[in-house]
Amino acid sequence: MTPERREAFLADEKDARATWDAAVAAVPVTAVADRVLPDDRSVKDLVAHIAAWERWAEERLAARIEGRTPMRIPDWHAFEHDFNARADTRWRAEPWDTVAAEAAAAYAAFRGRVERLDDEQLAKVEELIKGCGSRHYAEYIGQIQALVTRSGSS
């Protein structure tokens, strides 16, 4: 990965996160735990979901950097379903302040790990980073923005 490509990639990921953060911030705190999104989810649930995947990605990146073999996932669909269910169980009853703090910490760890990758490492894990970063945020931003629009809070 060239230095220019690295700079552009990191900027794109940072911009995607800023868009995610702005969408979440537009939701009134009084509505953040309301289960009004698809799959009986709340914005708080989505924030916890994203944070869980950022933690997972950070750990997976750490393993690669440290020369450990990341856990092999033979059945991605089953793994993803189980991971999401465990994250939902872990965070659903937690108050917004706790989830928001975990989300901030998870992102800081994820972003910090990504920024510490050298150019060769970054090129090898670009899809993983997007999958737990920009592409993942994009899956849910529209839902959050539609909720804000429906509620008349912008």
Side-chain angles (χ1 to χ4, degrees), residues 3-118:
E4 296 79 18
R5 174 71 188 116
R6 175 192 184 86
E7 184 179 336
F9 175 75
L10 293 175
D12 288 348
E13 288 299 304
K14 188 174 184 178
D15 288 348
R17 180 55 186 226
T19 301
W20 167 258
D21 288 340
V24 171
V27 178
V29 174
T30 55
V32 80
D34 294 348
R35 296 197 188 298
V36 294
L37 297 173
D39 299 328
D40 192 36
R41 285 178 151 177
S42 67
V43 171
K44 179 183 77 125
D45 295 334
L46 293 182
V47 169
H49 170 84
I50 292 289
W53 281 105
E54 288 172 340
R55 287 280 186 203
W56 177 84
E58 192 277 328
E59 291 168 10
R60 197 156 178 90
L61 292 171
R64 286 180 182 214
I65 291 166
E66 295 163 7
R68 294 181 280 123
T69 302
M71 177 182 76
R72 193 169 165 275
I73 304 169
D75 182 350
W76 178 257
H77 181 74
F79 173 80
E80 181 181 27
H81 179 76
D82 181 60
F83 184 92
N84 288 338
R86 283 185 287 116
D88 185 59
T89 298
R90 164 65 183 92
W91 293 104
R92 189 162 269 211
E94 294 292 340
W96 169 242
D97 289 345
T98 302
V99 170
E102 167 56 14
Y107 176 69
F110 175 59
R111 181 68 187 197
R113 180 70 65 185
V114 168
E115 289 179 350
R116 288 190 302 275
L117 297 170
D118 64 33

